[in-house]
Amino acid sequence: MPRVAVYAAAFAALTSSAGAQGLVTVKDVSYDMALVIAQTALESCRAQNFKVGVSVVDRGGHVLVTLRDHGAAHHTVELAQRKAYTSRIFRQTSKDFSQRLRDNPISAGLGTTSGVLASVGGIPIKVGDEVIGGVGVSGAPGGQNDENCALAGLSKVADQLK
């Protein structure tokens, strides 16, 4: 009987420490943070008379917030969402992703991934090196203006991303 107790104790110790980790804690973008990022990005573009759409996605690439300014074309919403998704999923700016496709023909197939857009204006949201979301802006003249507005949105919450 003691031998059975030893085996049972050993089994319990192994399963509790090795195989049954329980909950996993992850960092993610909150709705409130996403709203601040999106509003700040839109206001930054608005200050330059750019009519844009802005979207923020969480760590899973799911849309948390999308805003479209008065006068922004309807398609800016979809493009902003796709830029945000691209920067989250590939853990780099959508500009860098676009360059990656140009520089490496083997990666070209990634550009056909559903929801992806190889265009300037998407920025990953990071805590350290961990990407927890993405922000995308579309509608400003030239992709660099889209990217600058997205960066303005991120700068508003930079102290919370440390």
Side-chain angles (χ1 to χ4, degrees), residues 54-58 61 63 65 78-92 94 115 117 119 121-125 131 133-137:
V54 180
S55 192
V56 177
V57 299
D58 64 14
V63 174
V65 174
E78 178 185 349
L79 297 179
Q81 288 175 355
R82 292 175 63 191
K83 290 177 184 184
Y85 177 80
T86 300
S87 64
R88 164 51 197 110
I89 296 305
F90 292 103
R91 300 179 306 279
Q92 61 188 145
S94 56
L117 182 63
S119 179
I123 304 291
I125 301 171
V131 178
V135 56
V137 177

Side-chain angles (χ1 to χ4, degrees), residues 6-106:
V6 169
Y7 288 138
F11 179 75
L14 286 174
T15 58
S16 66
S17 63
Q21 292 292 324
L23 299 176
V24 175
T25 303
V26 296
K27 294 180 175 122
D28 206 342
V29 180
S30 70
Y31 168 79
D32 293 334
M33 179 183 281
L35 186 58
V36 169
I37 293 169
Q39 287 177 325
T40 304
L42 187 133
E43 289 167 7
S44 176
C45 274
R46 194 182 260 181
Q48 301 170 74
N49 292 318
F50 302 149
K51 306 295 185 188
V52 299
V54 180
S55 192
V56 177
V57 299
D58 64 14
R59 74 179 300 113
H62 307 288
V63 174
L64 284 170
V65 174
T66 296
L67 302 175
R68 184 183 63 83
D69 202 0
H70 265 294
H74 177 74
H75 67 273
T76 62
V77 170
E78 178 185 349
L79 297 179
Q81 288 175 355
R82 292 175 63 191
K83 290 177 184 184
Y85 177 80
T86 300
S87 64
R88 164 51 197 110
I89 296 305
F90 292 103
R91 300 179 306 279
Q92 61 188 145
T93 67
S94 56
K95 178 182 182 178
D96 289 345
F97 177 73
S98 179
Q99 188 64 49
R100 175 181 170 185
L101 297 183
R102 286 193 297 277
D103 292 346
N104 187 355
I106 293 172

